[in-house]
Amino acid sequence: RLRLAPPHGESLNRLPGQYLDVLLPDGKRRAFSIANAPHTGSEIELHVRHVAGGDFTRHVFTDLQPGAMLRVEGPLGTFVPREDSERPLLFVAGGTGFAPVKALIEHFLHLGTRRAMTLYWGARNEAELYLRNLPEIWTTVAPSLRFVPVISENGHVDGARRGLVHEAVLAEHPDLSAFDVYMSGPPALIDAG
């Protein structure tokens, strides 16, 4: 979890689910979803997965010091809440695709929605469900929210389904036409979706 504080007490005017680009010195950009809803304050939370051979993620995990400056551009994107519906909500996240989904769920909980919500969060193993306790806490304060962790690798994980996250969704809901679906994760997950 990388936390960014805008300079001079400013805040980024944003919607839950949007992302920003980190502008790198070589002119390249790295996109990261904003993982916290706007009502939580001006600080920006990013979830950064360490990628082998990734120059920026190596920098974050080994060199970046508290107080360092990063140049960013944002907010960007249209993965934002649609509040003009009363249909149940399905959130499908893979890996760090949990970040924008987290912001959306925080937003809907903050609004006090009574819509039924289900979060399916898929990962290869239990360690990749890096904030597993957070959705479990949400379910205790919001009875309308259900959390389904899904693990694709072998091994026993308490309370988790086995397989691919999109298959777990379809096993319970073969017809998604009655839901508002928010899906975020690696390209393979989005293609399957």
Side-chain angles (χ1 to χ4, degrees), residues 48-169:
V48 181
R49 180 177 179 260
H50 189 261
V51 176
D55 289 338
F56 179 70
T57 61
R58 181 196 48 76
H59 174 66
V60 169
F61 280 83
T62 60
D63 303 327
L64 195 62
Q65 296 295 313
M69 294 288 286
L70 289 178
R71 291 182 53 231
V72 301
E73 182 180 302
L76 304 166
T78 59
F79 186 70
V80 296
R82 309 292 187 227
E83 297 172 14
D84 58 349
S85 172
E86 291 300 317
R87 296 166 10 138
L89 296 157
L90 287 180
F91 299 98
V92 184
T96 56
F98 175 67
V101 166
K102 174 184 174 288
L104 289 167
I105 292 173
E106 287 176 347
H107 173 74
F108 282 112
L109 292 175
H110 178 70
L111 291 179
T113 188
R114 293 191 174 144
R115 295 165 70 181
M117 299 182 284
T118 305
L119 165 61
Y120 294 85
W121 186 7
R124 287 181 293 215
N125 53 55
E126 187 170 23
E128 289 187 3
L129 296 175
Y130 52 91
L131 287 176
R132 180 178 177 166
N133 64 328
L134 181 60
E136 291 170 348
I137 291 168
W138 288 337
T139 64
T140 64
V141 297
S144 64
L145 177 65
R146 187 171 149 250
F147 172 46
V148 182
V150 183
I151 302 296
S152 63
E153 289 182 351
N154 290 331
H156 177 73
V157 178
D158 286 340
R161 299 260 170 89
R162 177 82 47 226
L164 300 175
V165 68
H166 70 283
E167 292 171 353
V169 172

Side-chain angles (χ1 to χ4, degrees), residues 28-40:
K28 293 181 182 174
R29 299 168 165 257
R30 295 293 181 270
F32 291 94
S33 295
I34 300 171
N36 58 318
H39 75 273
T40 63

